[in-house]
Amino acid sequence: MTKLRINDSLRPSLLATLAAVALGAAGATTAFAQNYPVTPQQRAVAQQTSQAGIPIGELAPNAPDEYTVKPGDTLWAISRLFLRSPWRWPELWGMNIKEISNPHRIYPGQVLYLEKSGGRARLSTRRGGASDGTIKLSPRARYESLSGMALPTLNPSLIEPFLSEPIIVDEDTLKAAPHIVAGNDSRVLLARGDRAYALGQADEQLIETAGPIKTYRIFRNATPLKDPATGELLGYEAAYLGKAQLKRSQTVATQLVEGKDVVNVVPATIDIVAAREEMRAGDRLLPEPTRQLLSYAPRAPEQIIDGRIVSVYGNAVQFAAQNQVVVINKGTRDGIESGHVLAILKNGDTIVDRAGAPNDTGKEVLKLPNERIGLLMVFRPFEKASYALVLEINDTPRVGDLLVNP
């Protein structure tokens, strides 16, 4: 068994089960070095639990005494393995705070031990408090950096497309964006590998510059998103169609027509390099954003939240499934941040008490109780709305269902 001895001052955190980790494409390992700030409130909770642990009753019913982290695990799943409320990661981190200098890493091959005594529970990376300073990683030597092995909070494949594809914008943003004017060889529908021509307005011209080739995301006219409770227009959701690369700048050309010089605009040339749906004239181009590997610290919001599900991502979808993305009617203006966990409440139906009183008098209109049916986590907030991932459900969430603190 190959062992790697690490100086304690350099030991990666073994127990920040729901602290922040970078979430991004495979191979982009350097971004994992970033640290997600731990708030004073979270640190205070952790320090308190590090001294006393947590009541055994707060543990998940089948919390294991020992668990070895496996490839493919997520921090959310591991925390749920130990705690009834997986968003309460400060307690899980705090149970072992003395051993953790950087609560932002957990890696495959590490072993977590659950210690119970006096009605309290603590999670440790040392069996019985003993350790020889050695961490067993695998039966073979590893040469790659540990940073690339850090577990994500959630399965990256579930939300990574939503970090760069669909967007929520105001109406003017798309109207001012460059647009496709025609396809090569009079093509009406465009797919990957096709050449097309696009034009930008005066302040958004498609001009080549020194450096990497410019890449644009292509969107179709946006769908309005309205608050189910108030009717407020929260923004427009632009449907992602694909990507294009700028091959030649838009210019102007002068030609002689009937003895006069006529100046014509020459659209930019673009090549379609990725396509989710077929594209056509009128579709809009927005610059490909700089890739950002975001950190997530699943946690309950500090403020009281009273929200609703606005839409389920997809064409005319009203019901959401587990691991599906939804839009909610709360955003940065409401204090919503990436990592905020909210409970989903099924909005109880309004019914008429048909039994009524004797002689059918005094029938009442009744509002059935709201029932908790699941959890979701915000991963991409905008100003007035946010994208969130449905983490777990015991019934089918739908548009209009309520959202509250977990």
Side-chain angles (χ1 to χ4, degrees):
M1 177 70 70
T2 302
K3 298 182 179 181
L4 175 65
R5 184 175 296 276
I6 312 174
N7 184 289
D8 284 345
S9 64
L10 300 177
R11 184 190 303 275
S13 166
L14 307 183
L15 185 63
T17 24
L18 281 180
V21 292
L23 187 63
T29 59
T30 56
F32 283 93
Q34 68 182 359
N35 288 331
Y36 190 95
V38 178
T39 67
Q41 181 181 7
Q42 291 167 345
R43 184 170 294 279
V45 172
Q47 291 172 340
Q48 179 181 359
T49 55
S50 71
Q51 299 173 3
I54 64 172
I56 289 180
E58 297 294 328
L59 294 174
N62 299 317
D65 294 329
E66 176 182 324
Y67 182 75
T68 301
V69 181
K70 301 176 180 61
D73 279 341
T74 63
L75 301 183
W76 174 266
I78 291 175
S79 184
R80 196 171 191 278
L81 189 68
F82 287 99
L83 291 173
R84 291 180 181 272
S85 304
W87 62 89
R88 295 175 60 183
W89 68 269
E91 283 91 330
L92 195 58
W93 167 50
M95 287 189 287
N96 197 32
I97 192 173
K98 292 182 179 179
E99 297 182 19
I100 299 170
S101 58
N102 175 17
H104 306 284
R105 298 292 183 268
I106 185 169
Y107 301 95
Q110 296 173 342
V111 183
L112 307 177
Y113 301 101
L114 186 62
E115 302 172 358
K116 304 174 187 177
S117 62
R120 311 291 290 185
R122 296 175 179 83
L123 199 58
S124 175
T125 58
R126 306 177 181 182
R127 186 192 297 273
S131 174
D132 62 358
T134 299
I135 297 177
K136 299 178 181 179
L137 293 179
S138 78
R140 62 180 178 85
R142 289 190 185 274
Y143 297 97
E144 66 267 27
S145 168
L146 282 176
S147 62
M149 299 165 56
L151 299 187
T153 306
L154 304 169
N155 184 345
S157 65
L158 298 177
I159 65 174
E160 188 173 275
F162 292 88
L163 300 179
S164 61
E165 293 185 0
I167 55 171
I168 298 175
V169 296
D170 58 79
E171 187 176 17
D172 294 336
T173 297
L174 278 187
K175 284 184 177 180
H179 63 281
I180 297 174
V181 296
N184 192 26
D185 295 330
S186 301
R187 290 181 181 271
V188 176
L189 298 179
L190 304 170
R192 181 179 178 183
D194 287 342
R195 173 155 287 190
Y197 306 102
L199 188 66
Q201 299 181 19
D203 53 349
E204 291 288 344
Q205 292 191 27
L206 297 173
I207 303 296
E208 292 180 280
T209 58
I213 297 176
K214 289 185 176 181
T215 301
Y216 292 85
R217 296 177 295 163
I218 304 174
F219 297 93
R220 188 147 294 155
N221 291 338
T223 302
L225 297 171
K226 291 188 177 181
D227 191 316
T230 66
E232 179 189 5
L233 182 61
L234 303 174
Y236 291 81
E237 184 176 50
Y240 170 82
L241 304 176
K243 292 183 182 181
Q245 289 184 340
L246 179 62
K247 294 301 181 181
R248 197 162 43 237
S249 301
Q250 66 182 74
T251 59
V252 293
T254 302
Q255 59 180 348
L256 189 63
V257 178
E258 298 180 354
K260 296 181 179 180
D261 288 336
V262 177
V263 178
N264 294 317
V265 175
V266 180
T269 301
I270 60 173
D271 284 343
I272 308 299
V273 296
R276 172 165 290 182
E277 296 182 24
E278 290 180 315
M279 287 149 268
R280 60 177 182 254
D283 290 338
R284 300 286 173 169
L285 282 69
L286 291 176
E288 177 80 357
T290 302
R291 188 173 188 84
Q292 295 180 351
L293 303 182
L294 302 180
S295 295
Y296 300 89
R299 62 206 183 278
E302 291 77 16
Q303 70 279 19
I304 300 299
I305 298 296
D306 179 15
R308 293 202 180 209
I309 295 176
V310 175
S311 68
V312 180
Y313 189 75
N315 294 325
V317 177
Q318 290 294 315
F319 297 91
Q322 188 164 324
N323 295 330
Q324 195 160 7
V325 171
V326 299
V327 176
I328 69 172
N329 66 342
K330 298 296 178 182
T332 54
R333 68 172 183 177
D334 307 294
I336 289 292
E337 301 173 358
S338 295
H340 276 169
V341 176
L342 298 171
I344 307 170
L345 301 184
K346 183 177 182 179
N347 196 4
D349 294 332
T350 300
I351 64 170
V352 175
D353 181 6
R354 299 191 180 279
N359 300 321
D360 291 332
T361 61
K363 289 185 179 179
E364 291 187 278
V365 176
L366 306 177
K367 171 69 167 60
L368 298 182
N370 299 327
E371 296 288 349
R372 177 167 170 158
I373 60 173
L375 292 170
L376 57 74
M377 191 192 84
V378 174
F379 65 87
R380 193 181 181 196
F382 297 89
E383 181 186 1
K384 300 178 182 179
S386 302
Y387 282 121
L389 181 70
V390 177
L391 297 171
E392 50 191 64
I393 56 175
N394 53 38
D395 199 344
T396 305
R398 61 184 177 182
V399 172
D401 278 348
L402 308 176
L403 302 171
V404 297
N405 297 61

